[in-house]
Amino acid sequence: VLGLGGCVIDARHSGPLEYSSESVEADDSELVRVELNMGAGNLRVSEGTQKLMRGDFSYNVPSWKPVVQYRRNGKQGTLTVNQPGHQHGSTGDQKYEWDLQLNNKTPVELGVHFGAGRARLDLGSLQLRGVTVEMGVGQLDMDLRGPLKHSYNVSIHGGIGEATVHLPADAGIEAEAQGGIGSIQVRGLRKDGGRWISEGYDRAEYKIRVDVQGGIGTIKLIAE
C-alpha cells in the first residue's frame, strides 16, 4: 500500500499552512479514470462542480503541493492527483488535506491509494463505473447511497484501520470480506453462505458488488 513501505518522517520543511486550488474542465469523454495517490493526510471526495474536478488543498510542507494532471485518449480520460515524492510521514504538526469535487454527469472509475490518515468518500451522486481503494493505516468512510443508474464493483484492500461502507438500501447488493479482518459488522444485508446480499438482490436491475480483502481491523457494511 502506498506510503507504508519505507515510510519516513521528514519535518525539516514544514512551515506555515498554505492553500492552493486546481480545476480541470469537463469534456465529452465517455469514461474518466480518476486516480488519487496520497501518502499521508486527510482526503475528502464528493460531487458538486460543473467542471470535471475542482480541488482545494492545504498543506504545511511546501514540497507536498499536489500535482494534478489530465490526459485524454480517444473517448476516455485519465485524471491523476498525486502527493509528490515517495516517502511520507507525520510528526503531528504536519497538515495535509485534499477536498475534491467531481462532476456528477461524467462516468467515473475511481481509484484511491491512501497510505495513512482519514478518507471520506461521498460518492452516491456520481456516475460510478467502479471504485478501488487501497488503504494503509487509518480510517475510511465511504458513502454510496444515491440513485443507482449502473451496476459497478467496489474493491477495498486494507492494511490496518477501520472501514465503513454505507450502501443504498433499495439496490441489489452483494458483499464479501476475506483476509485478516478483525471484525465484520453488517446491517441491512443477510448472510448467504460466504457472502452478504440484499433482500431484493435477484430482482434488482442494477447491482453493487463489494469485495473487501486484507488486514482491516473493522469493516462495517451498512445498507439502510
Side-chain angles (χ1 to χ4, degrees), residues 61-150:
V61 179
S63 63
W64 287 359
K65 181 180 179 180
V67 178
V68 178
Q69 296 178 315
Y70 180 70
R71 62 186 182 275
R72 182 172 171 176
N73 185 6
K75 286 294 186 179
Q76 294 193 7
T78 301
L79 171 65
T80 60
V81 185
N82 292 313
Q83 180 176 0
H86 301 286
Q87 297 177 320
H88 308 107
S90 176
T91 63
D93 63 346
Q94 292 176 346
K95 300 184 183 300
Y96 199 63
E97 296 188 358
W98 298 1
D99 187 351
L100 308 180
Q101 296 179 350
L102 299 176
N103 189 299
N104 65 4
K105 295 182 173 62
T106 301
V108 166
E109 286 184 359
L110 178 63
V112 178
H113 307 272
F114 180 72
R118 181 173 182 176
R120 179 176 179 83
L121 310 178
D122 295 316
L123 309 178
S125 297
L126 299 178
Q127 298 293 324
L128 292 174
R129 297 297 184 267
V131 181
T132 301
V133 177
E134 295 181 2
M135 61 179 290
V137 181
Q139 181 177 342
L140 169 69
D141 190 343
M142 181 188 301
D143 194 339
L144 300 173
R145 292 173 293 185
L148 194 61
K149 299 179 181 179
H150 201 281

Side-chain angles (χ1 to χ4, degrees), residues 149-209:
K149 299 179 181 179
H150 201 281
S151 297
Y152 61 88
N153 295 334
V154 176
S155 176
I156 302 173
H157 293 192
I160 303 171
E162 177 180 303
T164 301
V165 182
H166 296 270
L167 299 158
D170 56 351
I173 305 295
E174 178 186 11
E176 294 186 50
Q178 304 177 44
I181 298 174
S183 66
I184 303 173
Q185 302 174 25
V186 181
R187 296 206 306 263
L189 305 174
R190 63 179 175 84
K191 191 72 179 291
D192 181 21
R195 62 177 184 165
W196 291 267
I197 62 174
S198 58
E199 290 298 330
Y201 177 78
D202 293 328
R203 303 185 303 274
E205 180 179 5
Y206 302 119
K207 300 178 180 180
I208 301 175
R209 186 180 188 279

